[in-house]
C-alpha cells in the first residue's frame, strides 16, 4: 500500500496536459511544418543535377552572400543601439519618454513597403539625408543594412527592456560601494544578466532581416550580382512560373537559416547556464 502511495503522481493544479500538447502539435504541424515540407516536396520534382545548377548559379550565390551579410550587420547594429535605447528608456526619465517608447514599435505596425519608400526618399542621392554624403547610400548594400536595421530594432529593445527593469539600481549602487568602477559594474554585474536577452533579440532581428522583402526592394536598387537579395530572386522566379526553381533557392535559405538559428539558440542556452544559473 505504501509503495502504491509513493508511485502516485501529484495532482496538477491545471489539468489537461495531453489535450494542450495535442493542440500544440496540431497547430505547429498545420502552420509551420506542413508549409515548410511543401518547399521540399516541390523541389523534389527536379533532378539532383538541376537542383545543384539552380542553387549554385552565380547570381543566386551573390544574393546569398548579400542577404546573410546584410542581415548579420543589421542584427549586430541592433544589438548595440537597441541595448542603448532600452537602457535609456528604463533608467532615465525625460520629456516625451512615452512617445519615444511607442515609436520603437512603429516598424512592427508600419507596412514594410511604406518603410521602404520612406527610407529610399531619405537616403537617395537627392534625398534629405543622402544629399549630404559624397557616396551613395540608397541602391547599395549600405542602404539594405539601414532598411534591415529599421525593421529589426524593436526585437532587441523589447527583449532587453523587461530584463533591465528587473535589475534593481540598488545592485549597481552596492557594486559601486564595494569599490567597483562603472566599467566593472557593467561587465560583471549588468552584462551577465542581459546576455541571454541580447542573444534572443539578435536572433529574432537576424531571422526577421533574412526574410525581409518589402522594405528592401525599394532601397536596394535590385542590380543582379550587386544589390539583389535572395527573396527578390525567389519572387522573380515565381512571377516566371518557375516554382521548382523558387523552392530550390528557398530550401537553401531555409536550411541555412535553421542551422544559424539553432547555433544561436545553442549559444543562448550556454549563456543561460553560464550567467543565470
Amino acid at each position: 500500500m505504501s509503495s502504491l502511495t509513493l508511485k502516485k503522481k501529484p495532482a496538477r493544479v491545471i489539468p489537461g496536459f495531453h489535450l494542450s500538447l495535442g493542440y500544440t502539435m496540431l497547430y505547429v504541424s498545420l502552420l509551420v511544418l506542413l508549409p515548410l515540407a511543401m518547399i521540399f516536396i516541390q523541389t523534389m520534382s527536379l533532378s539532383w543535377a538541376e537542383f545543384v545548377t539552380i542553387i549554385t548559379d552565380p547570381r543566386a550565390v551573390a544574393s546569398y552572400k548579400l542577404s546573410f551579410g546584410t542581415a548579420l550587420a543589421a542584427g549586430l547594429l541592433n544589438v548595440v543601439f537597441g541595448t542603448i535605447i532600452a537602457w535609456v528608456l528604463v533608467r532615465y526619465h525625460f520629456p516625451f519618454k512615452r512617445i519615444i517608447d511607442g515609436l520603437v514599435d512603429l516598424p512592427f505596425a508600419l507596412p514594410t513597403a511604406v518603410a521602404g519608400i520612406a527610407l529610399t526618399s531619405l537616403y537617395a542621392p537627392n534625398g534629405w539625408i543622402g544629399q549630404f554624403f559624397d557616396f551613395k547610400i540608397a541602391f547599395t548594400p549600405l542602404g539594405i543594412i539601414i532598411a534591415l536595421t529599421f525593421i529589426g530594432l524593436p526585437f532587441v529593445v523589447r527583449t532587453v527592456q523587461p530584463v533591465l527593469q528587473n535589475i534593481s539600481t540598488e545592485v549597481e549602487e552596492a557594486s559601486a560601494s564595494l569599490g567597483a568602477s562603472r566599467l566593472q559594474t557593467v561587465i560583471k554585474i549588468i552584462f551577465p544578466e542581459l546576455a541571454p536577452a541580447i542573444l534572443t533579440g539578435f536572433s529574432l532581428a537576424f531571422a526577421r532581416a533574412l526574410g525581409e522583402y518589402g522594405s528592401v526592394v525599394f532601397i536596394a536598387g535590385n542590380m543582379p550580382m550587386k544589390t539583389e537579395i535572395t527573396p527578390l530572386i525567389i519572387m522573380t522566379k515565381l512571377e516566371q512560373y518557375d516554382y521548382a526553381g523558387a523552392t530550390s533557392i528557398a530550401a537553401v535559405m531555409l536550411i541555412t537559416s535553421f542551422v544559424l538559428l539553432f547555433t544561436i539558440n545553442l549559444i543562448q542556452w550556454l549563456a543561460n547556464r553560464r550567467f543565470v544559473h
Side-chain angles (χ1 to χ4, degrees):
M1 182 67 183
S2 59
S3 62
L4 291 176
T5 306
L6 290 174
K7 291 180 180 178
K8 186 178 180 181
K9 294 182 179 178
R12 297 179 182 276
V13 177
I14 301 177
F17 166 72
H18 294 94
L19 182 62
S20 58
L21 178 63
Y23 276 125
T24 301
M25 297 305 295
L26 177 65
Y27 195 81
V28 171
S29 299
L30 288 177
L31 292 182
V32 180
L33 295 180
L34 193 57
L36 294 183
M38 291 307 298
I39 293 176
F40 296 100
I41 291 172
Q42 187 70 38
T43 306
M44 289 171 65
S45 63
L46 296 172
S47 66
W48 176 252
E50 291 172 331
F51 174 73
V52 172
T53 301
I54 291 173
I55 65 171
T56 57
D57 181 75
R59 187 174 168 182
V61 173
S63 75
Y64 302 148
K65 294 177 181 176
L66 181 66
S67 294
F68 284 102
T70 52
L72 178 64
L76 293 175
L77 282 174
N78 276 324
V79 164
V80 176
F81 295 103
T83 304
I84 293 174
I85 291 172
W87 178 270
V88 169
L89 291 175
V90 172
R91 285 289 187 263
Y92 303 110
H93 297 281
F94 51 90
F96 309 113
K97 175 182 172 179
R98 290 188 180 278
I99 296 176
I100 295 175
D101 195 15
L103 287 175
V104 170
D105 292 329
L106 197 58
F108 278 147
L110 193 68
T112 54
V114 176
I117 294 170
L119 291 172
T120 306
S121 302
L122 280 176
Y123 292 100
N126 59 347
W128 286 7
I129 296 177
Q131 62 179 323
F132 296 108
F133 292 87
D134 296 330
F135 53 88
K136 288 178 66 176
I137 298 178
F139 318 124
T140 67
L142 180 59
I144 298 174
I145 292 174
I146 291 174
L148 297 181
T149 305
F150 173 81
I151 58 102
L153 177 65
F155 292 101
V156 177
V157 176
R158 294 309 182 211
T159 307
V160 173
Q161 207 171 0
V163 180
L164 268 175
Q165 288 170 339
N166 289 331
I167 302 176
S168 172
T169 55
E170 294 175 356
V171 176
E172 301 167 27
E173 293 169 358
S175 174
S177 66
L178 292 174
S181 65
R182 291 182 176 179
L183 183 61
Q184 288 175 322
T185 302
V186 170
I187 294 176
K188 296 186 176 181
I189 304 296
I190 298 175
F191 179 74
E193 295 289 333
L194 289 182
I198 290 174
L199 280 172
T200 301
F202 169 76
S203 61
L204 291 173
F206 177 70
R208 178 72 178 84
L210 274 181
E212 178 59 19
Y213 174 77
S215 64
V216 177
V217 70
F218 294 99
I219 200 169
N222 309 322
M223 290 180 287
M225 306 294 292
K226 292 182 178 178
T227 60
E228 189 178 39
I229 58 173
T230 305
L232 179 63
I233 289 185
I234 295 173
M235 182 61 69
T236 303
K237 287 186 176 295
L238 288 175
E239 290 174 348
Q240 296 169 349
Y241 302 103
D242 183 9
Y243 298 119
T247 55
S248 299
I249 295 177
V252 173
M253 288 290 287
L254 179 62
I255 294 171
T256 311
S257 303
F258 178 78
V259 171
L260 289 174
L261 291 176
F262 179 79
T263 305
I264 293 172
N265 284 333
L266 181 62
I267 295 172
Q268 182 188 359
W269 177 72
L270 293 174
N272 270 316
R273 291 190 61 185
R274 170 69 176 83
F275 295 123
V276 177
H277 299 291

